Amino acid sequence: MAHQWRGVIREYADRLPVTEATKVITLGEGGTPLVHAQKLSELTGSEVYLKVEGMNPTGSFKDRGMTMAMTAAVEAGAKAVVCASTGNTSASAAAYATAAGLKCAVLVPEGKISMGKLSQAIAHGATLLQVDGNFDNCLDIARKLGESYPVFLVNSVNPARIQGQKTGAFEVVDSLGDAPDIHVLPVGNAGNISAYWKGYKEYAAPFESANGTLPAVSTKTPIMWGFQAAGAAPFVAGHPITEPDTIATAIRIGNPASWDTAVAARDESGGLIEAVTDDEILDAHRWLSSKEGVFVEPGSAAGVAGLIKKHAAGEAPSGKTIVITVTGHGLKDPQWALRTEDGSDVQPVKVPNDVVTVAAELGLEEN
Ligand code: F0G
């Protein structure tokens, strides 16, 4: 029988803080593809899968948390929501606020968010303010607005966001039949690594739901591998970075809000959080589009860059099941696809309106 995916809240209601009576704000998020990455599997000798989160309604994993945060905002009687963002959270907040009939204000670092994300927030009618500062400054202001003004904060410091985002781990286990051996993902504000770890732990043990105890779904939890951009790698430094810098603007964050839970995810799982350079990120971005057929934004490629780097260093195991979350769609920030390895821009060849010349240009000989 045909089944229409109902969004993460209804699909996983018994594992989320909602009831039958909850007015759910959804755009049908979640249910994203888990794609077998053939070339990465060949390279590493493991079975590597990509959790393609760009397939969410606003093109990033943020929608999983935003359905919960906006549902909570409506439940709390909020009239307006606010968030700080490197772009994807603002796109998601703007769309879900529209669905909820709420006003939305977003604070972004001036000049440091991609055109696609900026367009989304504007298209959905958010009030967008470009702050003369970085993401960490934006988040400070957003938190203060949430505390002292009549606006509801929908950043991942709101626990509802983490609740929604943990469903990514549930879907991986539901697809594979068990947890993977290693789960790899980019780390910025560190909400997502915290959320996946929470989801994996909840699925590996009996769960007390409102309707009774649910049995464990998986037999184990994965090792968590997080990767930060080298210029914005506070977990690697062991302290906040005041001037984070990377071309991967999505993860250009120096003072992650979910610090403690990310460290717990790393340490409890026996995992790691390491850094990859911008060049490694761009190489992985190119690998995904040219070898796997998956188009992501640069920040989303950090996990793949990390796995390739660990493999090259002889530090990635073979014979394992590895899942990498690729967090946002390539169309968010498409300019990088047009840049070649030597840094010049691709110029598509111009041809006259003539089949013989086109065939010659394509190197085709007539049958
Ligand atoms: N990948 C993408 C595409 C992101 O947009 C983000 C975060 C991350 C990875 C990192 O996830 O913060 O949970 O560790 N973007 C936030 C935003 C900060 O405002 O859109 P994280």
Side-chain angles (χ1 to χ4, degrees):
M1 201 172 75
H3 171 67
Q4 169 83 40
W5 179 266
R6 297 165 296 171
V8 298
I9 294 183
R10 284 296 170 229
E11 293 295 331
Y12 293 108
D14 51 2
R15 291 172 177 274
L16 291 168
V18 292
T19 67
E20 278 296 310
T22 304
K23 180 175 186 289
V24 174
I25 307 300
T26 180
L27 294 171
E29 62 295 316
T32 56
L34 188 69
V35 175
H36 185 247
Q38 293 198 54
K39 300 294 178 196
L40 281 172
S41 299
E42 279 168 27
L43 177 77
T44 58
S46 278
E47 291 307 318
V48 182
Y49 295 87
L50 304 169
K51 183 68 172 156
V52 184
E53 289 291 275
M55 294 304 286
N56 277 296
T58 77
S60 88
F61 73 97
K62 303 289 180 181
D63 296 343
R64 294 180 184 277
M66 208 50 77
T67 181
M68 278 298 303
M70 216 55 74
T71 295
V74 167
E75 203 158 43
K79 297 279 179 285
V81 298
V82 67
C83 69
S85 183
T86 57
N88 280 321
T89 299
S90 59
S92 186
Y96 281 78
T98 300
L102 302 181
K103 286 199 165 121
C104 179
V106 303
L107 307 179
V108 300
E110 188 187 354
K112 295 292 182 188
I113 87 166
S114 77
M115 182 64 82
K117 299 170 191 177
L118 191 74
S119 317
Q120 288 179 286
I122 301 291
H124 295 303
T127 304
L128 183 138
L129 301 178
Q130 301 203 59
V131 176
D132 177 15
N134 60 32
F135 169 82
D136 306 296
N137 308 130
C138 294
L139 185 56
D140 273 351
I141 299 174
R143 287 174 110 140
K144 285 174 189 151
L145 288 175
E147 278 161 21
S148 308
Y149 297 82
V151 282
F152 189 93
L153 184 67
V154 294
N155 277 109
S156 58
V157 289
N158 181 331
R161 282 276 310 279
I162 304 295
Q163 288 283 351
Q165 282 176 213
K166 76 183 180 185
T167 61
F170 296 167
E171 289 179 21
V172 169
V173 174
D174 290 342
S175 300
L176 295 177
D178 204 346
D181 298 303
I182 304 177
H183 191 108
V184 190
L185 74 182
V187 173
N189 209 25
N192 214 25
I193 191 170
S194 305
Y196 267 92
W197 182 237
K198 180 176 171 61
Y200 279 125
K201 280 197 299 186
E202 288 182 6
Y203 244 24
F207 184 79
E208 301 302 330
S209 84
N211 302 319
T213 307
L214 303 171
V217 181
S218 57
T219 67
K220 60 182 180 188
T221 52
I223 294 167
M224 303 298 292
W225 282 9
F227 290 94
Q228 304 206 277
F235 288 108
V236 180
H239 55 76
I241 305 288
T242 42
E243 304 264 329
D245 198 23
T246 166
I247 57 99
T249 52
I251 52 173
R252 187 174 170 272
I253 295 172
N255 190 13
S258 297
W259 186 285
D260 293 345
T261 46
V263 167
R266 180 192 68 191
D267 296 346
E268 288 170 23
S269 75
L272 54 85
I273 301 179
E274 293 184 1
V276 285
T277 65
D278 283 0
D279 282 346
E280 288 165 341
I281 288 174
L282 288 175
D283 284 348
H285 178 259
R286 216 172 281 120
W287 176 296
L288 284 171
S289 39
S290 65
K291 294 192 201 291
E292 311 288 359
V294 174
F295 192 30
V296 305
E297 60 171 294
S300 299
V304 174
L307 178 63
I308 293 173
K309 185 175 193 167
K310 295 300 274 182
H311 170 74
E315 293 168 3
S318 56
K320 302 289 186 189
T321 301
I322 302 177
V323 172
I324 312 176
T325 303
V326 286
T327 44
H329 204 288
L331 294 174
K332 294 266 191 180
D333 201 0
Q335 74 181 88
W336 297 102
L338 299 176
R339 188 159 305 185
T340 57
E341 263 160 288
D342 66 19
S344 62
D345 274 354
V346 173
Q347 293 295 342
V349 175
K350 283 191 190 169
V351 287
N353 177 9
D354 164 47
V355 68
V356 175
T357 326
V358 171
E361 190 60 49
L362 294 173
L364 300 173
E365 282 175 29
E366 204 168 348
N367 299 329

